[in-house]
């Protein structure tokens, strides 16, 4: 798209802005629909550009399908898609503007039955209302990075948050500097890009501030192509050396956040998953058994520790779940409670992960079988203790 709008320089700027945007990088490492919604949003933007230049029915149908697909994989994408259609209508003249508006209407009609059928699922985000909304956290930090921090963060865990907030401030300064430097001229493409950003981000911000919290940073992913377009236009129009220095700062910040997002627990650090895998890597021996006290909960099973870092458990014996379960659920869940006394054989060394706030299951069984605890390592207050039992 950058090549069609600006030429080779624009091609590089657009590709770099979209490829290095922390929101894009973060969602690209998750097997969730947010990245796909961003992809379809980018495709819709490209089809708007090519249709405005050379309209055809094939491109019009493609635009309808791209907008519909973006909304089907993530309903919040309706907000930036509405902004895209509005911007396309405003910046286009003649019959083409009405055809672009019709594309938005038709795509909305295609998605409407799906939206009605899934309206009950809106309760899945009901928990957000109980969360205190922080504009700084969501608008500045999560909009850029969203690298989750542990329950008891160390100073180093706050570094990505500080970088993300700084990048948001730098981007705002860059926007103001370019607009002032250019005196508002030759910024039509920038204005075009900012309309979907305003509808896709601004509406959620306002709703969360004056009504109830309906926003998580990941919900802003469909806006990424338009935000990238705006950043690319700012980079292209930056003339003074210090303004170009702001662009370089954003690039350095993006690469730094990319490094933080590659950490094993960047996404799953809200619990002490890393406690058990760290203990296994440091102290376990090949052939040791391990058990995880089960809970009746469909989300918070500590089995996630095995899923997040399977390599730490590769030489151990999973006594309760010896074969890998099928991928039939979004979260790892506990197998049925095991009766250790009924087992034909148990290894002489068994590691047990038990909750601090729930009933211990396997520790008491092992004690009855003659095992005794020789080592214990505890995590956060609401987390777990990893205990080694030997016989």
């Amino acid at each position: 798209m950058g090549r069609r709008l600006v030429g080779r320089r624009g091609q590089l700027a657009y590709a770099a802005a979209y490829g290095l945007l922390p929101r894009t990088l973060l969602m690209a490492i998750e097997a969730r629909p947010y990245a796909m919604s961003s992809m379809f949003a980018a495709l819709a933007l490209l089809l708007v550009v090519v249709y405005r230049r050379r309209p055809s029915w094939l491109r019009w149908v493609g635009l309808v399908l791209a907008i519909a697909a973006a909304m089907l994989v993530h309903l919040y994408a309706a907000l930036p898609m509405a902004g895209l259609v509005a911007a396309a209508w405003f910046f286009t003249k003649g019959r083409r503007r009405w055809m672009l508006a019709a594309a938005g209407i038709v795509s909305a009609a295609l998605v409407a039955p799906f939206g009605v059928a899934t309206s009950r699922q809106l309760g899945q985000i009901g928990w957000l209302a109980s969360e205190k909304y922080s504009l700084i956290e969501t608008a500045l930090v999560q909009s850029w990075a969203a690298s989750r921090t542990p329950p008891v963060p160390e100073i180093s865990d706050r570094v990505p948050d500080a970088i993300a907030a700084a990048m948001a401030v730098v981007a705002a300064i860059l926007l103001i500097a370019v607009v002032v430097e250019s005196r508002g001229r030759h910024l039509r493409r920038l204005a075009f890009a900012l309309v979907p950003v305003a509808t896709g981000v601004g509406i959620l911000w306002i709703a969360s501030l004056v009504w109830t919290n309906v926003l998580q940073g990941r919900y802003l992913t469909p806006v990424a192509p338009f935000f990238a377009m705006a950043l690319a236009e700012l980079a292209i129009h930056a003339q003074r050396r210090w303004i170009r220095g702001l662009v370089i700062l954003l690039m350095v910040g993006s690469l730094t956040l990319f490094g933080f997002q590659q950490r094993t627990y960047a996404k799953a650090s809200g619990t002490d998953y890393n406690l058990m895998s760290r203990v296994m890597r440091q102290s376990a021996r090949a052939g040791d058994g391990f058990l995880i006290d089960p809970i009746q909960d469909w989300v918070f099973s500590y089995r996630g520790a095995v899923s997040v870092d399977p390599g730490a458990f590769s030489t151990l014996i999973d006594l309760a779940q010896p074969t890998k379960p099928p991928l039939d659920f979004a979260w790892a869940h506990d197998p049925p409670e095991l009766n250790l006394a009924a087992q034909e054989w148990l290894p002489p060394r068994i590691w047990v992960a038990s909750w601090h706030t729930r009933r211990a299951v396997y520790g008491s069984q092992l004690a009855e079988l003659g095992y005794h605890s020789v080592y214990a390592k505890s995590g956060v207050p609401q987390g777990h203790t990893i205990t080694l039992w030997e016989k």
Side-chain angles (χ1 to χ4, degrees):
M1 192 181 71
R3 177 167 53 84
R4 285 178 167 82
L5 291 175
V6 190
R8 183 167 180 79
R9 183 179 62 159
Q11 180 180 3
L12 295 174
Y14 274 59
Y18 189 47
L20 293 176
L21 192 66
R23 171 58 47 193
T24 306
L25 293 172
L26 179 70
M27 293 296 103
I29 63 177
E30 293 191 9
R32 304 176 79 178
Y34 304 110
M36 190 172 291
S37 70
S38 179
M39 179 191 72
F40 285 121
L43 177 60
L45 177 57
L46 174 61
L47 289 171
V48 165
V49 171
V50 297
Y51 182 85
R52 291 177 72 231
R53 295 192 170 188
R54 293 184 59 187
S56 70
W57 279 108
L58 182 61
R59 291 175 175 175
W60 186 86
V61 171
L63 175 59
V64 170
L65 296 178
I67 295 175
M71 294 188 290
L72 282 172
V73 295
H74 181 42
L75 287 177
Y76 273 26
L79 298 174
M81 291 299 95
L84 172 63
V85 173
W89 181 88
F90 183 82
F91 288 98
T92 308
K93 296 181 180 180
R95 179 174 177 269
R96 297 178 186 180
R97 74 188 313 192
W98 298 108
M99 290 299 294
L100 290 169
I105 295 172
V106 173
S107 61
L110 291 175
V111 176
F114 174 78
V116 173
T118 59
S119 59
R120 293 182 179 180
Q121 288 189 306
L122 291 176
Q124 291 183 356
I125 63 171
W127 61 272
L128 289 173
S130 61
E131 297 288 318
K132 184 179 180 181
Y133 181 78
S134 169
L135 187 61
I136 293 178
E137 168 68 19
T138 305
L140 299 186
V141 175
Q142 287 195 25
S143 297
W144 284 89
S147 183
R148 299 182 181 180
T149 53
V152 184
E154 299 176 358
I155 294 178
S156 60
D157 295 317
R158 292 299 188 188
V159 172
D161 295 356
I163 295 175
M167 289 181 67
V169 173
V170 170
I173 296 174
L174 177 62
L175 173 63
I176 296 171
V178 170
V179 171
V180 171
E181 182 185 43
S182 63
R183 298 181 181 179
R185 294 174 295 185
H186 311 298
L187 297 178
R188 285 175 59 86
R189 292 191 299 269
L190 175 62
F192 185 101
L194 291 178
V195 174
V197 173
T199 58
V201 178
I203 291 176
L204 294 179
W205 283 359
I206 294 171
S208 296
L209 285 171
V210 304
W211 178 47
T212 185
N213 188 10
V214 294
L215 177 60
Q216 288 283 287
R218 56 185 177 270
Y219 300 161
L220 304 177
T221 308
V223 187
F226 310 103
F227 197 31
M229 179 180 177
L231 290 175
E233 288 296 323
L234 292 175
I236 291 171
H237 288 91
Q239 298 297 324
R240 297 183 183 181
R241 183 174 298 177
W242 73 270
I243 299 179
R244 292 180 177 178
L246 297 177
V247 177
I248 295 175
L249 282 177
L250 289 177
M251 294 177 63
V252 172
S254 295
L255 291 172
T256 305
L257 288 177
F258 174 73
F260 277 105
Q261 290 166 0
Q262 301 312 299
R263 297 177 302 176
T264 305
Y265 301 99
K267 181 67 174 66
S269 57
T271 60
D272 56 354
Y273 285 152
N274 58 340
L275 171 66
M276 188 172 187
S277 59
R278 188 172 66 248
V279 171
M280 295 301 99
R281 289 187 180 277
Q282 294 174 351
S283 306
R285 303 173 187 171
D288 286 357
F290 74 89
L291 293 162
I292 296 174
D293 280 354
I295 59 173
Q296 300 302 318
D297 196 304
W298 62 295
V299 175
F300 296 106
S301 166
Y302 200 53
R303 281 270 157 187
V306 183
S307 302
V308 170
D309 190 6
F313 303 85
S314 59
T315 62
L316 308 181
I317 303 172
D318 190 343
L319 297 173
Q321 193 167 262
T323 58
K324 189 175 181 179
L327 293 175
D328 58 352
F329 201 64
W331 289 275
H333 48 91
D334 293 307
E337 181 178 333
L338 189 67
N339 182 1
L340 299 180
Q343 304 304 306
E344 295 182 358
W345 174 85
L346 291 173
R349 288 165 47 99
I350 299 176
W351 297 88
V352 176
S354 56
W355 288 79
H356 294 164
T357 57
R358 298 176 185 265
R359 179 181 66 90
V361 176
Y362 292 122
S364 57
Q365 292 191 44
L366 289 171
E368 292 177 0
L369 294 175
Y371 284 81
H372 56 280
S373 61
V374 297
Y375 171 87
K377 179 72 173 178
S378 296
V380 296
Q382 300 297 317
H384 302 79
T385 293
I386 311 302
T387 305
L388 172 62
W389 294 81
E390 289 187 350
K391 185 174 183 180

